[in-house]
Structures are given as C-alpha cells and as structure tokens.
Amino acid sequence: MNAVPPPSASQIAALAGLLPNGGLLTEEVDLARYSRDWSGDHFGRPLAVARPSSVEEMSALMRFCHAERIPVVPQGGLTGLVGAAVAADGGEIVISLERMNKIRSISPIDFAMVVEAGCILEDAKREAEASDCLLPITFGAQGSCRIGGNVATNAGGFNVLRYGMTRDLVLGLEVVLADGRIWNGLKVLRKDNRGYDLKQIFIGSEGTLGIVTAAALKLFPKPTQIETALVGLRSVEDAMALYARARRDCSDLLTAFELILRVGIQITMREGKDFPDPLSQPYPAYVLIEVSSGGLIDLSNMLLGFLGSVEDIVEDGVIASTRAQGERLWLYREIMVERQGRGGRYLRTDVSVPISRLADFVTDALAALEKARPDALAVTYGHVGDGNIHLNVVPPEGMGIEAMEHLFEQAEAEIFTVVDRYGGSISAEHGIGRVKQKAFLERIDPVTLDLAAGIKDAFDPRHILSNGRILAPAAAVDYR
Ligand SMILES: Cc1cc2nc3c(=O)[nH]c(=O)nc-3n(C[C@H](O)[C@H](O)[C@H](O)COP(=O)(O)OP(=O)(O)OC[C@H]3O[C@@H](n4cnc5c(N)ncnc54)[C@H](O)[C@@H]3O)c2cc1C
C-alpha cells in the first residue's frame, strides 16, 4: 500500500471545520481506542478519526476527502474478524459511525425499523422488542457491533437458518458515496422491482463501495416462547442426521442449530464449578437446538416430542425449563468462543460446504490438520444448519511468533484445500478484508475479478475507500 503523508495542518483544520463539536480526533491518546480490533490481532494507527454526527456531515467529509484524495476506512464496533476496519499501514483516516446511532423510526405494522449505521445491534434489538417485534440478527458480538458493520459484512449468526443473513433482512439503505453524494435507497417497501437493486451491492462490500449511514431493517413478530436443548451425540454425522430430522419435524420453528465438538465444551468447563460437564457423560459432539414461536403453539411439547422421536440418534440431552436455564446453555458456546485462544492468538476460519457434505468435510479437514500439525489444538463449532463451520487452530502454549505464523499458514492451507475439494467457501460469514485476501484472490476466476474491479472503479474511482480490502490495493493510486 502507498505510504500517505499525514494530512497537512490546513487539511486538518478544514476537516475539523466540517465536523464541529469534537467530530475530529487527532490526539494520540484519543486515537488508541480506534486502533485495535476485538481480536487484538490487528492494529493500525489512524491519521485521524472523523466522527460525523449526521448524513450531511458525512457527505461533506467524503466530498472533501475525495477532492483531496485522502484515504479513509469506515469503522463500526471493531468486532469484524478479517482486519478490515483498522487503519492500513500506509495511513488512513478512520471514519467512526459511533455518533450516528439513532433509531429513526419503528413501525410494527410495516414490521420495519430505520436505524442509523452507528447504532449498536443490541440497542436496535432492544428497541424492536419494546414494540413487540424481533430483529433477528443474533451473535456473540451483538453488544459491541454496529448496524453499519453488520450490513457491510453481511453478518449471519445463530438465527440465519430461520431468518436469513443480514442481506435478507435489509429493506433499504442510505449510503454516502466515495465522492460525497448521498444515495437515498432508504425505504421500507417489501416489494419493489424498479431496476437494479442497488442496496445489494453495498451489503457485504466491507466498506469498499460506500459508507452506510442508515438501514431499513425487516422485523418479525417477537416470539413469546423459546425452547432450548443441549444434546450429546456420537459424531458430527449423527448431528447432521439430527439436523435433517429437525428441519422437517420442527419446520420453520427451528431457529438455531449449533454444533460444538467436545473440545469446545472442555474449554468452557475450564471456567470452574459453575460450568460442569453439561450431560451425564462426555460425548464427541453436542448440539444446541432452539425453537421459538408465538403463543398458540404448544412449543415445549413439540420439542419434547421431537427429541423423543430421535432417540435412535441422540445419546443424552437436557431441555431448559426456564429462559434463564436456556441462556445458561448458550453460555457454554459463548464462553468457548471467548476463551478458546487462552488469551493469545489463534487461527480463525469460517468456512462453508453444502450441508449434505458437512460431516464428511469435518472428518477430512480434521484428519488433514492432525496429519500436518499434530501439535495444534483444533476447536470446531458452527452454525451447521447453514453448512457453516469454524475450524479454529490454537497453537501449543509458549510457541514463538514465527513458528506460530508458520503453523497458521500451514493449517489454513490444509483446511482450505479440503474446502476446495468439497466445493465450499473459504469465508461463510466474516468476509475477506485483508486477512483472507490472498486465499480469496488465489481462487477467484478472471471474469469475477474483472467485474469486481469494474464495480470498485465505478463506485470509488480514486480508490480512497478501504483501499486494499477484498481486492488488492490499487497499485497506482496517487493520493496527493
Ligand atoms: C465474538 C464474535 C462473534 C461473532 N459472531 C459472528 C457470527 O456469528 N456471524 C457473523 O456473520 N459474524 C460474526 N462475527 C463477526 C461480525 O462480522 C462482526 O461482529 C460484525 O458484523 C461487524 O460489525 P462491526 O460494527 O463491529 O464492524 P467493524 O468491525 O467495525 O467493521 C467491519 C467491516 O465493515 C466496514 N464497515 C463498518 N461500518 C461501516 C459502514 N457504516 N459503512 C460501510 N462499511 C462499514 C468496515 O470498514 C469493515 O470492513 C463475530 C465477531 C465476534 C467478535
């Protein structure tokens, strides 16, 4: 990436003028919290942090940056896992959405809400619930990530199998383009076939095509009943057989189906006596099943009946009898995600394969990993109802940085080779950013690359937006 000289004093003064009331931060002490992401693996000191508080301010900021060729990167809650939201080494201005965090409207009749991009996901979910509605995007980082980040990464989560990815939940967007123009596609219409569906190009574009400033999101009736069970199984194959049955027998009431292999449960059990072995004995595989519905269905009997009908597959299980117990079962998964790296670095993968091939894929990928790196610990879990699995790799304790980098490279190559063999994706949820770029570009076909580069040029001709994420950095960008 081209090194960029820090903005001149006159540019800083101009930017500060565009963003009144502390909208521009330049002091080292203020920049720190915008410099490191959730994983702690990615660090980048921004040239400055711009914090517009309205779409008009965002538009003026981008018009200026476009004219002056100042590179920028939009930032939400910094929970993205591919190193895309922190400033690149060459120097960028971070644009934080944190001051654009209002809920503009909510309509239970339209089952829709309009939310600014800086709104924290959990706040938006809470507001929807206050209107007896459900905003279904749900995952571990929901207390920190922001709606704009969810849109930009096309976030998935636990409830995708029932409600779809963020892409399926966006009715409209408001976006500030690289040159500062405002694209107003903010509408709550359910059906609209007028020409190209431009909002889709921004969803999942990881900040490379425009800055999302607000989103109109689909809501659903808030479930009045939620039932959760944790079951133990002999194998991933049995877990997938259970999924096939659950999908048919629980129909659309199935909201989550999360696989955790034994290692993951053991990680949570390290927390001590509050997290004992959850079932009467250890099992190779566990599944968290959740079903939810409105009030007229006898949901608890349905789940009981279903689990009774799959005794040939399920070895053992517990059904939560209260919401608090259900939330406690979910903690086994959440704590595992937070503690798996023992406070250090580890390799994260989020791959997908066709659901019908997931069990064989896991067997083959784990075997390949074990053969290549028997010293590494594989932590395997995922939203398997979507064919999505995390095969994470934790290095042995005390391993040096260089050896660790080598381990990650080798382990990733082994896993991705098996993904390719199964016709899968090397990124089911987290996106490409900078971390997956090499593997992504090695696999992209020339026609797709050509079209993608053309889209980037059309939306951001000066390559000032998130340069070097998804696609390689524009080589000949002359920023000044
Ligand atoms: C514990 C944990 C669990 C997770 N679980 C899941 C999961 O189950 N499913 C899943 O899909 N993901 C998951 N993620 C990753 C997920 O992608 C992010 O958590 C979230 O969607 C990113 O939101 P953010 O606000 O933190 O974005 P950031 O990390 O700040 O940014 C992410 C990307 O979006 C861009 N961006 C941010 N805001 C905007 C904007 N307004 N306009 C344009 N571009 C923007 C950034 O430039 C960057 O490219 C998880 C992460 C963590 C830490």
Side-chain angles (χ1 to χ4, degrees):
M1 183 135 194
N2 298 1
V4 179
S8 64
S10 67
Q11 284 174 323
I12 288 288
L15 284 168
L18 296 172
L19 304 168
N21 306 318
L24 188 77
L25 305 176
T26 53
E27 298 297 323
E28 194 69 42
V29 59
D30 295 326
L31 303 186
R33 86 184 166 90
Y34 305 88
S35 303
R36 194 178 288 282
D37 65 10
W38 175 90
S39 71
D41 295 352
H42 308 108
F43 178 85
R45 187 194 172 282
L47 299 171
V49 175
R51 303 182 304 149
S53 58
S54 67
V55 65
E56 291 76 21
E57 281 185 18
M58 183 71 85
S59 168
L61 168 70
M62 287 311 298
R63 211 175 314 121
F64 182 79
C65 290
H66 182 76
E68 301 284 311
R69 296 172 186 267
I70 297 173
V72 300
V73 58
Q75 192 174 89
L78 275 172
T79 68
L81 296 172
V82 287
V86 292
D89 288 342
E92 286 170 332
I93 289 190
V94 158
I95 300 184
S96 168
L97 273 292
E98 67 190 355
R99 299 214 296 184
M100 295 189 64
N101 60 359
K102 292 186 210 59
I103 307 232
R104 291 195 191 160
S105 64
I106 179 156
S107 167
I109 294 174
D110 290 318
F111 277 106
M113 72 194 299
V114 176
V115 187
E116 288 187 347
C119 183
I120 298 223
L121 172 59
E122 200 155 82
D123 294 342
K125 287 170 76 71
R126 202 174 304 119
E127 196 68 20
E129 282 185 21
S131 293
D132 251 347
C133 291
L134 172 77
L135 172 60
I137 310 168
T138 302
F139 55 84
Q142 65 189 34
S144 308
C145 64
R146 297 176 190 271
I147 295 294
N150 301 149
V151 172
T153 60
N154 184 27
F158 304 133
N159 295 343
V160 169
L161 62 92
R162 177 150 171 195
Y163 298 102
M165 306 266 292
T166 298
R167 184 181 299 290
D168 302 300
L169 302 170
V170 172
L171 293 167
L173 289 179
E174 175 188 85
V175 180
V176 172
L177 303 178
D179 61 9
R181 283 177 297 162
I182 301 169
W183 177 65
N184 187 353
L186 209 52
K187 56 195 176 200
V188 297
L189 299 176
R190 296 275 156 165
K191 299 179 87 170
D192 182 7
N193 270 348
R194 289 173 293 172
Y196 301 126
D197 189 0
L198 286 180
K199 67 176 182 291
Q200 292 296 347
I201 201 83
F202 296 108
I203 302 170
S205 69
E206 301 185 42
T208 60
L209 300 180
I211 300 185
V212 176
T213 48
L217 300 169
K218 266 187 209 170
L219 301 177
F220 295 81
K222 181 175 136 191
T224 53
Q225 307 181 73
I226 301 176
E227 297 288 337
T228 310
L230 179 75
V231 299
L233 301 139
R234 286 175 297 258
S235 63
V236 178
E237 208 175 344
D238 280 359
M240 297 317 288
L242 179 66
Y243 173 68
R245 301 261 284 265
R247 191 88 174 113
R248 291 195 179 278
D249 295 348
C250 302
S251 179
D252 277 351
L253 303 180
L254 184 65
T255 357
F257 194 92
E258 293 289 316
L259 174 76
I260 310 172
L261 294 198
R262 176 69 186 167
V263 170
I265 296 291
Q266 284 168 326
I267 289 170
T268 300
M269 283 166 59
R270 281 196 226 128
E271 291 296 294
K273 63 176 175 25
D274 287 346
F275 290 93
D277 218 336
L279 302 179
S280 59
Q281 63 178 75
Y283 294 96
Y286 297 76
V287 168
L288 261 168
I289 304 178
E290 196 154 277
V291 287
S292 63
S293 76
L296 296 179
I297 290 165
D298 187 348
L299 195 69
S300 126
N301 251 333
M302 188 205 79
L303 183 61
L304 213 56
F306 170 68
L307 290 176
S309 75
V310 287
E311 278 173 353
D312 53 325
I313 306 176
V314 170
E315 294 280 297
D316 191 5
V318 282
I319 302 183
S321 51
T322 60
R323 262 327 286 141
Q325 277 183 18
E327 281 159 16
R328 198 158 176 76
L329 289 180
W330 275 102
L331 279 181
Y332 277 86
R333 191 197 186 282
E334 281 166 34
I335 290 174
M336 177 235 350
V337 170
E338 298 220 343
R339 303 284 198 272
Q340 59 187 310
R342 306 186 197 106
R345 285 184 58 196
Y346 60 100
L347 173 74
R348 293 180 188 82
T349 71
D350 73 310
V351 302
S352 66
V353 295
I355 297 169
S356 57
R357 309 196 70 197
L358 191 125
D360 289 343
F361 165 77
V362 172
T363 306
D364 284 1
L366 288 178
L369 207 53
E370 171 67 23
K371 188 162 169 230
R373 294 305 303 236
D375 55 336
L377 175 72
V379 183
T380 309
Y381 58 96
H383 317 304
V384 291
D386 311 314
N388 176 194
I389 189 101
H390 300 287
L391 272 171
N392 295 345
V393 179
V394 184
E397 270 178 274
M399 186 176 247
I401 296 282
E402 232 169 83
M404 200 190 296
E405 293 290 352
H406 179 62
L407 163 63
F408 292 164
E409 229 171 84
Q410 214 182 342
E412 189 177 79
E414 292 290 342
I415 295 168
F416 286 180
T417 301
V418 186
V419 170
D420 291 343
R421 222 167 56 228
Y422 277 79
S425 164
I426 60 158
S427 171
E429 284 193 323
H430 300 161
I432 301 301
R434 289 183 286 170
V435 170
K436 299 273 163 58
Q437 188 179 72
K438 184 168 169 286
F440 169 66
L441 293 176
E442 278 166 7
R443 287 163 173 78
I444 197 168
D445 73 274
V447 178
T448 308
L449 182 60
D450 207 31
L451 290 172
I455 290 170
K456 174 69 180 170
D457 285 342
F459 280 81
D460 179 20
R462 294 184 174 177
H463 290 245
I464 60 165
L465 262 179
S466 299
N467 188 23
R469 279 69 165 190
I470 304 181
L471 299 176
V477 175
D478 174 12
Y479 285 124
R480 295 295 148 103

